[in-house]
Amino acid sequence: VSSQRIVVVGADATGMSAASRAKRRAPEIQVEAYDLGRYVSYGACGIPYAVSGEVGRVEDLVVISPDRFREERGIEVFTRHLVERIVPAEKKILVRDLAAGRVKERAYDKLVFSTGAEPITPKGIDPGLEEVFFIRNLEDAQRLKSFLAERKPGRAVIVGAGYIGLEMAESLAKAGLRVQVTVRGERVLSSAEEEISSALAGELKRQGVELVTGAVPKATERPARGGVRLELMDGRELTADLLLVGAGVRPRSELAEEAGLKLGVKGAVAVDRLQRTSDPDIFSGGDCAEAYHRLLGRNTYVPLALGANRQGRVIGDNLVGGKSEFPGILATTVTKVFDLTAARTGLSLREAREEGLEAVKVVTKAPSRASYYPGSSPITTCLIAEKGTGRPLGAQMVGLDGVAKRIDIWGTALSAGLSLEEIGDLDLAYAPPYSPVWDPVLVTAGVALKKIS
Ligand SMILES: Cc1cc2nc3c(=O)[nH]c(=O)nc-3n(C[C@H](O)[C@H](O)[C@H](O)COP(=O)(O)OP(=O)(O)OC[C@H]3O[C@@H](n4cnc5c(N)ncnc54)[C@H](O)[C@@H]3O)c2cc1C
């Protein structure tokens, strides 16, 4: 281990977690990390709040600077360095210093492939137009903020209503724009249960955001009087001052593929539970790689921040001779859309059925606090459970209050493999400002038990 050099390709959540953990475990090793961007270790998740103005500056989202990595952790970080090739046969990378324009070779003993994901560009949208925005990193956020400050746009069209599309709808509305959100089908957050989607659609409407359904992009163009026009397949046209694309992401795995690494689910880098790729000296994790799902018992693709950080730590252990196994994800998420919070953990009804499980959905509505206490409002829960056994498989929730607290109870229960009886018996905290005596989690477990048995 002592004279080893670890090279990290992509220096954000996964890569820097791996680098930091490895260096802590074995301070004598040499670790260097390359990133094509100006920033490393940034919180992309905070971008919607930096654009809306709730977080002061985009740069405030940087968690640790390259200098601090060097001084405090002994990790060399090279920003504006694009890794162009990985040559596993010679255990080297070719990396372009974007400022100097030079390509250099670096040898590695072990490599971390952590390039993240990239936004999908839907057919018909020209990503080269000045008024078209994608949100992936801090540079994207800065470009958008400068555009807002300089051009003072009045109207935005958002293509796609996944988490990023919805959070950016709120963000741009708070920044003072009139916002339209387009979806291909009928629903926002179409991966969620219908009850969740319709609550979110109601909230958008209440907040003055227009939802345009059945909207399949055909073309984008710049009208003579400025702005951007989105033409839809059915002939409708939407015009705005800016168009933001939130149509999902795909793993950025081309370099890995060119290097001969095996790809898996959705073209993500295939990994085992130790986060090893098909090359014994290359590890991968985060948004460019598959993730092991606890309930499915196999790999899937769910690009989220905590999973990326956790996988990074597993990689860090294993880079220096450890045998850490990634325990798995449950795809637990929480998102704020104006005043509503939507959250989920585990499988949806569709996912459970696709897995061949005989699953049912139980929907409950229960107050977030004692009904007499100010601020109490209903939480809708969709519980997915296996028919017959009653095994809980997933939970989704939406409400104005107390959703984030409850989804973590469901996530914990799913992790621990608790039965509905055991969940119904949990000794949860109660005081009127925080919950009713019978918390919505306990209510849902009870209702589900009755319905399923
Ligand atoms: C707007 C937004 C909001 C989000 N909100 C949430 C949230 O609320 N909760 C949540 O769980 N997740 C959220 N996410 C997702 C979360 O940011 C990611 O899951 C997480 O950043 C993944 O970390 P990663 O290290 O795998 O990839 P990334 O963070 O994407 O980092 C990969 C890095 O690799 C670099 N890179 C790529 N290719 C090369 C190359 N060839 N050479 C050099 N460098 C390269 C990139 O520049 C990038 O810095 C959000 C994402 C966005 C964009």
Side-chain angles (χ1 to χ4, degrees):
V1 170
S2 59
S3 59
Q4 272 203 6
R5 182 188 295 150
I6 290 168
V7 165
V8 175
V9 182
D12 194 27
T14 311
M16 296 322 288
S17 297
S20 303
R21 175 61 73 95
K23 190 74 183 166
R24 201 168 330 126
R25 290 258 188 272
E28 67 282 7
I29 57 166
Q30 193 188 334
V31 184
E32 52 190 48
Y34 295 91
D35 202 290
L36 64 90
R38 281 177 212 284
Y39 302 100
V40 299
S41 191
Y42 49 88
C45 314
I47 290 173
Y49 314 105
V51 171
S52 67
E54 286 153 285
V55 172
R57 295 175 316 149
V58 170
E59 300 84 67
D60 292 343
L61 303 178
V62 173
V63 183
I64 307 178
S65 67
D67 286 345
R68 276 187 57 205
F69 270 113
R70 190 167 300 125
E71 286 154 20
E72 294 172 19
R73 303 194 183 180
I75 297 166
E76 289 297 326
V77 178
F78 300 90
T79 55
R80 307 270 294 129
H81 275 67
L82 170 71
V83 176
E84 295 187 333
R85 254 183 85 196
I86 299 166
V87 190
E90 296 168 43
K91 292 182 79 167
K92 68 176 188 190
I93 62 163
L94 300 183
V95 55
R96 182 179 296 274
D97 176 341
L98 293 173
R102 269 193 311 271
V103 176
K104 61 179 179 184
E105 282 188 16
R106 283 305 272 172
Y108 65 82
D109 294 294
K110 297 264 188 276
L111 185 116
V112 181
F113 188 78
S114 45
T115 50
E118 63 194 345
I120 292 170
T121 308
K123 253 175 82 179
I125 289 183
D126 180 352
L129 296 186
E130 207 187 325
E131 293 80 7
V132 171
F133 291 84
F134 293 82
I135 298 292
R136 186 66 217 166
N137 55 37
L138 299 195
E139 279 104 328
D140 296 336
Q142 282 169 327
R143 187 170 87 84
L144 178 56
K145 269 200 103 160
S146 309
F147 188 91
L148 296 182
E150 286 156 22
R151 301 275 203 95
K152 311 227 175 336
R155 287 174 310 158
V157 166
I158 297 182
V159 174
Y163 295 109
I164 292 178
L166 290 173
E167 289 179 359
M168 289 309 298
E170 176 186 346
S171 168
L172 290 177
K174 284 202 167 140
L177 283 82
R178 237 181 66 210
V179 180
Q180 288 178 304
V181 173
T182 73
V183 288
R184 285 176 172 258
E186 294 300 310
R187 295 212 271 134
V188 303
L189 204 63
S190 58
S191 58
E193 299 301 329
E194 225 170 293
E195 292 79 357
I196 312 295
S197 296
S198 59
L200 291 174
E203 179 66 3
L204 290 181
K205 193 168 173 200
R206 200 164 33 249
Q207 301 285 353
V209 172
E210 188 193 338
L211 182 62
V212 184
T213 57
V216 182
K218 186 176 178 197
T220 44
E221 55 191 86
R222 300 175 80 186
R225 59 186 153 77
V228 56
R229 183 163 52 225
L230 172 67
E231 197 187 320
L232 302 175
M233 283 295 185
D234 59 10
R236 284 178 292 172
E237 285 183 353
L238 305 174
T239 50
D241 302 307
L242 75 89
L243 184 142
L244 189 143
V245 183
V249 296
R250 71 159 72 88
R252 203 188 263 178
S253 55
E254 292 81 5
L255 266 189
E257 189 177 20
E258 282 161 28
L261 300 186
K262 201 173 149 234
L263 302 188
V265 184
K266 293 194 176 169
V269 179
V271 289
D272 64 10
R273 298 280 299 276
L274 278 73
Q275 301 298 137
R276 293 178 300 203
T277 68
S278 55
D279 180 308
D281 295 314
I282 304 180
F283 291 78
S284 187
D287 286 8
C288 61
E290 298 179 331
Y292 178 76
H293 195 294
R294 274 181 113 111
L295 287 177
L296 298 175
R298 62 171 169 79
N299 284 354
T300 177
Y301 182 66
V302 182
L304 287 171
L306 178 61
N309 282 277
R310 292 169 64 217
Q311 288 157 6
R313 289 188 173 183
V314 169
I315 294 171
D317 285 342
N318 297 340
L319 281 168
V320 293
K323 284 275 172 287
S324 289
E325 267 200 358
F326 180 58
I329 55 157
L330 286 170
T332 308
T333 60
V334 60
T335 190
K336 175 179 175 309
V337 181
F338 293 98
D339 295 340
L340 271 191
T341 304
R344 68 173 285 181
T345 185
L347 307 179
S348 66
L349 184 63
R350 187 168 53 84
E351 286 167 349
R353 288 186 173 160
E354 278 170 7
E355 209 54 26
L357 296 162
E358 215 186 321
V360 289
K361 171 160 75 174
V362 175
V363 182
T364 63
K365 219 170 209 187
S368 63
R369 312 177 186 195
S371 53
Y372 51 79
Y373 194 88
S376 178
S377 70
I379 292 179
T380 301
T381 303
C382 300
L383 179 72
I384 315 302
E386 195 173 29
K387 226 173 164 174
T389 65
R391 177 168 69 115
L393 298 170
Q396 300 191 15
M397 309 179 113
V398 67
L400 293 168
D401 181 48
V403 166
K405 157 177 155 85
R406 271 76 186 206
I407 203 65
D408 283 338
I409 302 177
W410 284 111
T412 307
L414 291 184
S415 269
L418 299 187
S419 66
L420 284 176
E421 283 95 336
E422 287 166 324
I423 296 167
D425 281 339
L426 288 173
D427 188 26
L428 301 182
Y430 161 65
Y434 301 107
S435 79
V437 179
W438 290 96
D439 190 275
V441 172
L442 305 177
V443 171
T444 304
V447 172
L449 261 176
K450 274 193 221 120
K451 286 213 171 152
I452 287 165
S453 55

